[in-house]
Amino acid sequence: MPGSSSSTKWGVSLLPQVRRTYAPRGRTPLLRHRLNWKRASMAAALGYHASDPDRGPRLCFHLKPGGYDTAALIEVLKQLKVFYRGERVVLAWDGLSAHWSRTMRAWVAEQDWLALERSPAYAPELNPVELLWSSLK
């Protein structure tokens, strides 16, 4: 297995995060901002070389407005192929429906550089990209 990669998606709200605010007693605070409720989604893959661990891990990510569906994820995987420059990649994915849709499985079956492995139903501690998301939050 020349390379392994762990991948996940994450959404971020473009609204400011307010942790604490003050208002006179009995009056609900009103917070104003000029942003709307748009969201951005991010997909990331953290990879390493099983045959050469001294090369260190590599992170690639993709940011897009809105959310990801199967077609958008296939485009991300095409970019991942370029990122890994023809190396074989084993991608550990969770059970998200877009990861395992009929269209995705058909596309992956045509790829000689990519193999998918399903991670356990809920085990974020096994996905190193989840640690990245928790640091960003």
Side-chain angles (χ1 to χ4, degrees):
M1 173 169 69
S4 282
S5 184
S6 176
S7 172
T8 191
K9 292 182 310 311
W10 184 60
V12 292
S13 173
L14 300 179
L15 290 176
Q17 291 291 324
V18 177
R19 300 284 181 195
R20 183 177 298 181
T21 188
Y22 299 95
R25 185 175 297 204
R27 296 182 63 192
T28 302
L30 179 61
L31 303 174
R32 297 176 195 259
H33 57 81
R34 296 182 187 269
L35 300 172
N36 57 24
W37 288 97
K38 290 183 180 177
R39 289 181 54 87
S41 296
M42 196 180 321
L46 182 62
Y48 69 95
H49 290 277
S51 61
D52 188 5
D54 293 333
R55 288 180 71 177
R58 294 187 291 173
L59 173 69
C60 65
F61 66 92
H62 184 269
L63 184 63
K64 97 184 239 8
Y68 285 94
D69 59 7
T70 298
L73 287 174
I74 288 173
E75 291 305 314
V76 171
L77 290 175
K78 288 176 182 177
Q79 292 179 20
L80 188 70
K81 179 180 182 179
V82 172
F83 184 78
Y84 280 101
R85 295 189 189 109
E87 297 177 54
R88 288 210 24 90
V89 173
V90 177
L91 188 61
W93 257 354
D94 60 17
L96 183 71
S97 60
H99 292 167
W100 301 100
S101 69
R102 186 174 292 133
T103 304
M104 179 63 76
R105 285 181 286 147
W107 184 84
V108 169
E110 297 171 356
Q111 309 305 308
D112 61 351
W113 63 276
L114 180 63
L116 297 181
E117 293 294 330
R118 192 177 199 132
S119 61
Y122 185 74
E125 68 279 1
L126 297 178
N127 185 346
V129 177
E130 291 293 338
L131 295 173
L132 171 68
W133 295 154
S134 66
S135 295
L136 288 175
K137 289 179 183 179

